[in-house]
Amino acid sequence: VWDIKAGRQNFSFEHGSRLTTMTLDDSGRKLITGGANGAITMWNFSSGEKLRTISTDEAPRTEVTALLHVHMVKLCYHVSVGWHHDVWMWPDRDKAHPRRLGGHSDDILCVAYVPPNLLVSGAYDGTLIVHNIESGAVSRRVAPRRPHEGGGDPSFSSISSSRRLSH
């Protein structure tokens, strides 16, 4: 962490592997980092103190490519995605078990929250999946157009939906 006005480094976060992604919680006081070794760690952003490692043996130890903090009415989650093809939701409380949302067949590169209860994840193969956070169900899948389908915009060809994308 750098003091921009003074032009000097105040402290650094020793993650333990190559740092691949990070995010802040809603308060801006906790930094959540993800690494190449699959570890997800929570830090006090003001002091650099390591608060806890929130990943467990339940999740694969593959590179974390994106993190997201989701604040819902009853509970907050730290969401992680990566080379393991799943979305992992870590409740923001000690000793709570994570939830796994599947559906991708390739490395997941990004994730976004759509209030009040949807997560959208995007994979290397171009597939987008919309999950309902509360039920874990896939609400929508958007697949890239395959070269043999021809005609029109080559980026996306099909949208499959189990129900309308609404709140």
Side-chain angles (χ1 to χ4, degrees):
V1 174
W2 287 80
D3 180 332
I4 295 174
K5 289 182 181 179
R8 69 174 186 272
Q9 184 178 359
N10 289 343
F11 55 86
S12 63
F13 299 95
E14 298 300 326
H15 187 76
S17 77
R18 182 174 50 87
L19 185 67
T20 56
T21 186
M22 68 179 102
T23 191
L24 291 168
D25 72 346
D26 286 346
S27 71
R29 296 184 300 196
K30 294 177 187 171
L31 177 71
I32 301 99
T33 60
N37 64 355
I40 300 165
T41 306
M42 186 181 304
W43 309 85
N44 178 318
F45 185 69
S46 298
S47 69
E49 175 190 4
K50 182 178 180 178
L51 301 175
R52 65 184 168 119
T53 300
I54 60 174
S55 53
T56 67
D57 292 334
E58 295 176 52
R61 291 292 182 183
T62 58
E63 184 166 320
V64 179
T65 56
L67 291 167
L68 180 66
H69 179 79
V70 175
H71 180 87
M72 297 188 65
V73 176
K74 295 181 182 179
L75 188 61
C76 293
Y77 290 97
H78 305 293
V79 179
S80 70
V81 298
W83 291 2
H84 45 69
H85 305 184
D86 295 315
V87 175
W88 285 84
M89 296 177 50
W90 311 90
D92 188 12
R93 60 179 183 227
D94 289 333
K95 299 183 183 181
H97 293 285
R99 292 177 56 202
R100 184 184 71 82
L101 307 177
H104 282 287
S105 59
D106 207 344
D107 300 339
I108 304 174
L109 303 177
C110 56
V111 64
Y113 173 55
V114 182
N117 64 350
L118 299 175
L119 282 177
V120 181
S121 54
Y124 182 77
D125 64 3
T127 302
L128 300 175
I129 294 180
V130 180
H131 282 101
N132 180 299
I133 293 174
E134 293 161 351
S135 70
V138 173
S139 299
R140 183 170 291 196
R141 176 186 305 271
V142 181
R145 181 180 300 272
R146 303 292 178 228
H148 67 275
E149 293 177 22
D153 180 0
S155 32
F156 294 99
S157 65
S158 64
I159 297 177
S160 61
S161 177
S162 58
R163 60 186 177 144
R164 295 191 71 117
L165 185 61
S166 62
H167 299 27

